[in-house]
Amino acid sequence: MTEPAPEFSLIARHFRPLAGPGALGLLDDAALLTPPPGQQLVLAADAMVAGVHFLADDPPETIGRKLLRVNLSDLAAMGAAPLGYLMTIALTPGTDEGWLAGFTAGLAADQAEFGLQVLGGDTVSTPGPLSLSLTILGHAPPGAALTRAGARPGDDLWVSGRIGDGWLGLRAARGEIADPDGALARRYRLPEPRLALGLALRGLARACMDVSDGLLQDAGHLARAGGCAVAVEAARIPVSDVTAPIAALASGGDDYELLFAAAPEDRAAVEAAGLAARTPVTRLGRFTAGAPHVSLRDATGRDITPAKLGWSHL
Amino acid sequence: MTEPAPEFSLIARHFRPLAGPGALGLLDDAALLTPPPGQQLVLAADAMVAGVHFLADDPPETIGRKLLRVNLSDLAAMGAAPLGYLMTIALTPGTDEGWLAGFTAGLAADQAEFGLQVLGGDTVSTPGPLSLSLTILGHAPPGAALTRAGARPGDDLWVSGRIGDGWLGLRAARGEIADPDGALARRYRLPEPRLALGLALRGLARACMDVSDGLLQDAGHLARAGGCAVAVEAARIPVSDVTAPIAALASGGDDYELLFAAAPEDRAAVEAAGLAARTPVTRLGRFTAGAPHVSLRDATGRDITPAKLGWSHL
């Protein structure tokens, strides 16, 4: 047993350089982490499957990063700062080392950019498509975390960045639409977690979530959690392609923008938070009294809500 | 949008009753957890794929429990107490509600038995086999967690329970060997995490891990982490079937017993810890000076180490 089994060599070579000090070199059964004193932990987990959540021929540098960024986006939505993550990978047999090297190089770049390190994980083999799962740990002062519940009638509905670029980016990555500089495909593969904005919205947003399954469907989640209705003005939705059908952009997935409620008297404060976080914010609707419901309105106030509000996995 | 998408109804119906108070009803982007003051967090993640780590036709009641128990075993190996877990599930299309009900009923039983609750997760679909990933959180006083490093020449090698039952159980579950009362198949499907023993070994074991990939391979991990060699006496390995080849039992996987090093002067204390934890413990070898190496010895001291020490996924 002088030579460890191949599985352990692979992990050692590619993942160990990514490990934080508590990860015990990824050699142990578990990792140790001393939580920041007096803070609450914020925890999220997401999974991705090749051909479902990313394209099997996406560059390996982007695949792990996308999952990491999707989880960072969950922390952003809670107003939390990142601490570390654990990742499990089900690899197809014969995955070559070049692929693994690219995969971990992408993760290393994002670890540096977002200031966190891998704490542990597991590598297994699968006869099915490449599958990844990631659990992220973050922290926030007790009571400071933003949640989906809290929107009230009269509150404004806000969103960060642009809506629909994830959906356009998927079509671009598939070669279905033009993408001369690759910006749209890149947006699909590497969403931008809005961590700075999430921190700036602590104490300001009454409810917050990230848009992962379509703007309208997710606005519906905020409405239901707040026990009210919400109307979205189609003309206010920030989009990059005004020729694409607004219903498609507003129900496509993979935006990973923050969608949040704030009191009308806090409009200037929300604008200031966006500037401080260098993140565009747009007011695009309003919560109203009534049964939980989301509607999309055109400039004349007409209801143009599509039948399909977003994306469901099952 | 009065009716949520099917994915969310499924999660609501089956998983929400399992959620702890910090899980925000599994309705939010992330869960909140206040860590026990002054404690270190202990974190582990494992993945399982149908047909690789369990049989696709295993009873649904046992599948999630097996993964939870495998992760609890990692906590046991670190001498940690459980806090909670996050689980992601990649379901094959058309998974019926009866299966999900059985799956979550099994998890509910283990949550009650081991005193923890689900904090979050994700449900996605896969064209491949059913795949699960679980991250577990536990805690231990600072500096108290057991690790793989620390065995010294002269230390005894100990193991809990019996070795080889996981391997025999897999063969029984496949119908390859007789299993009149189903005890072996049950052992394969539901390993017993040795949490009480792990706690009792704090301050006593110099190094500890759980046996997941074969006794000999894992003893090699302890030797390498301690910078010494280890010799296992074949006749001392606690087995349930003395007619099975000892090399197969000692290199089969899925035992989930604790394998640990302790000083010879602590033999009585280790026996007492086993009694207190109601867990059998057996002294089966010794660490010696020398390059990292594991050997299996027969009663005459002859080296009968098999070529294959354990199980590798890649």
Side-chain angles (χ1 to χ4, degrees):
Chain A
M1 75 109 253
T2 321
E3 276 309 297
E7 174 192 3
F8 304 106
S9 314
L10 272 180
I11 293 172
R13 224 174 3 243
H14 294 290
F15 286 90
R16 207 164 290 151
L18 301 178
L24 306 174
L26 302 181
L27 284 166
D28 231 296
D29 292 289
L32 298 175
L33 179 73
T34 303
Q39 297 275 297
Q40 275 194 310
L41 291 174
V42 183
L43 304 156
D46 283 292
M48 288 194 342
V49 177
V52 181
H53 304 86
F54 61 95
L55 304 175
D57 60 358
D58 275 343
E61 288 76 7
T62 67
I63 292 174
R65 289 170 95 175
K66 178 165 184 177
L67 183 57
L68 182 55
R69 286 166 177 239
V70 164
N71 277 272
L72 286 165
S73 180
D74 285 327
L75 292 188
M78 303 287 284
L83 274 174
Y85 69 100
L86 299 93
M87 182 185 264
T88 66
I89 311 175
L91 290 175
T92 51
T95 300
D96 66 41
E97 290 226 28
W99 189 94
L100 274 176
F103 180 85
T104 47
L107 285 174
D110 272 5
Q111 290 194 175
E113 179 166 350
F114 299 108
L116 80 172
Q117 290 178 298
V118 72
L119 291 162
D122 193 17
T123 311
V124 300
S125 66
T126 178
L130 170 68
S131 304
L132 311 170
S133 178
L134 195 149
T135 296
I136 201 157
L137 285 84
H139 66 103
L146 305 170
T147 71
R148 293 187 182 189
R152 304 176 209 169
D155 281 357
D156 295 320
L157 176 71
W158 295 80
V159 75
S160 66
R162 284 199 305 255
I163 289 298
D165 284 5
W167 179 75
L168 291 167
L170 170 59
R171 298 190 58 203
R174 282 180 181 155
E176 295 168 7
I177 61 171
D179 187 22
D181 59 357
L184 286 174
R186 188 178 167 80
R187 181 94 182 103
Y188 170 71
R189 292 179 179 131
L190 292 179
E192 193 59 52
R194 301 299 192 181
L195 287 159
L197 181 63
L199 295 176
L201 291 175
R202 282 185 190 165
L204 187 58
R206 283 184 168 154
C208 187
M209 67 182 298
D210 70 334
V211 182
S212 56
D213 293 330
L215 172 72
L216 294 176
Q217 179 162 293
D218 288 334
H221 287 308
L222 284 189
R224 198 173 322 122
C228 50
V230 66
V232 177
E233 294 177 51
R236 286 182 172 270
I237 299 174
V239 297
S240 61
D241 179 356
V242 293
T243 68
I246 190 68
L249 298 174
S251 62
D254 279 314
D255 291 306
Y256 302 106
E257 296 294 349
L258 296 191
L259 185 68
F260 56 98
E265 57 267 31
D266 287 330
R267 283 180 190 172
V270 170
E271 298 279 5
L275 282 173
R278 295 164 180 257
T279 308
V281 290
T282 304
R283 186 165 51 82
L284 76 167
R286 205 163 171 227
F287 292 87
T288 55
H293 181 80
V294 63
S295 61
L296 182 66
R297 306 276 170 176
D298 73 8
T300 69
R302 196 166 51 101
D303 189 331
I304 55 166
T305 314
K308 185 168 179 292
L309 298 170
W311 206 70
S312 169
H313 297 282
L314 298 179
Chain B
M1 76 113 250
T2 321
E3 276 310 297
E7 174 192 2
F8 304 105
S9 314
L10 271 181
I11 293 172
R13 224 173 3 245
H14 294 290
F15 286 90
R16 207 164 291 152
L18 301 178
L24 305 174
L26 301 181
L27 284 166
D28 231 295
D29 293 289
L32 299 175
L33 179 73
T34 303
Q39 297 274 298
Q40 275 193 310
L41 291 174
V42 183
L43 304 156
D46 283 292
M48 287 193 344
V49 176
V52 181
H53 304 86
F54 61 95
L55 303 176
D57 61 357
D58 275 342
E61 288 76 7
T62 68
I63 292 174
R65 290 169 95 175
K66 178 167 184 176
L67 183 56
L68 181 55
R69 286 167 177 237
V70 164
N71 278 272
L72 285 165
S73 180
D74 286 326
L75 292 188
M78 304 287 285
L83 274 175
Y85 68 100
L86 298 94
M87 182 184 265
T88 66
I89 311 175
L91 290 175
T92 51
T95 300
D96 68 39
E97 290 226 27
W99 189 94
L100 274 176
F103 180 84
T104 47
L107 285 174
D110 271 5
Q111 289 195 174
E113 179 167 351
F114 299 108
L116 79 173
Q117 290 178 297
V118 72
L119 291 163
D122 192 17
T123 310
V124 300
S125 66
T126 179
L130 170 68
S131 303
L132 311 170
S133 178
L134 195 149
T135 296
I136 200 157
L137 285 84
H139 65 103
L146 305 170
T147 72
R148 293 187 181 189
R152 304 175 208 169
D155 281 357
D156 295 320
L157 176 71
W158 295 80
V159 75
S160 66
R162 284 199 306 255
I163 289 299
D165 284 6
W167 179 75
L168 291 167
L170 170 59
R171 298 190 59 202
R174 283 180 179 153
E176 295 167 7
I177 61 171
D179 186 23
D181 58 358
L184 286 174
R186 189 178 166 78
R187 180 94 180 104
Y188 170 72
R189 292 179 179 132
L190 292 179
E192 192 59 52
R194 301 299 192 181
L195 288 159
L197 181 63
L199 295 176
L201 291 175
R202 281 185 190 167
L204 188 56
R206 284 186 166 153
C208 187
M209 67 182 296
D210 70 333
V211 182
S212 56
D213 292 329
L215 172 73
L216 294 176
Q217 179 162 295
D218 287 334
H221 287 307
L222 283 188
R224 197 173 323 123
C228 50
V230 66
V232 177
E233 294 178 50
R236 285 182 174 270
I237 299 174
V239 297
S240 62
D241 179 354
V242 293
T243 68
I246 189 67
L249 298 173
S251 62
D254 280 313
D255 291 306
Y256 302 104
E257 295 294 349
L258 296 191
L259 185 68
F260 55 100
E265 57 268 31
D266 286 330
R267 282 178 190 172
V270 170
E271 297 279 5
L275 282 172
R278 297 163 177 257
T279 308
V281 289
T282 305
R283 185 165 52 83
L284 75 168
R286 202 159 175 233
F287 292 88
T288 55
H293 181 80
V294 63
S295 61
L296 183 66
R297 308 275 168 175
D298 73 9
T300 69
R302 194 164 53 98
D303 189 331
I304 54 167
T305 314
K308 185 171 180 289
L309 297 170
W311 206 70
S312 169
H313 297 280
L314 297 180

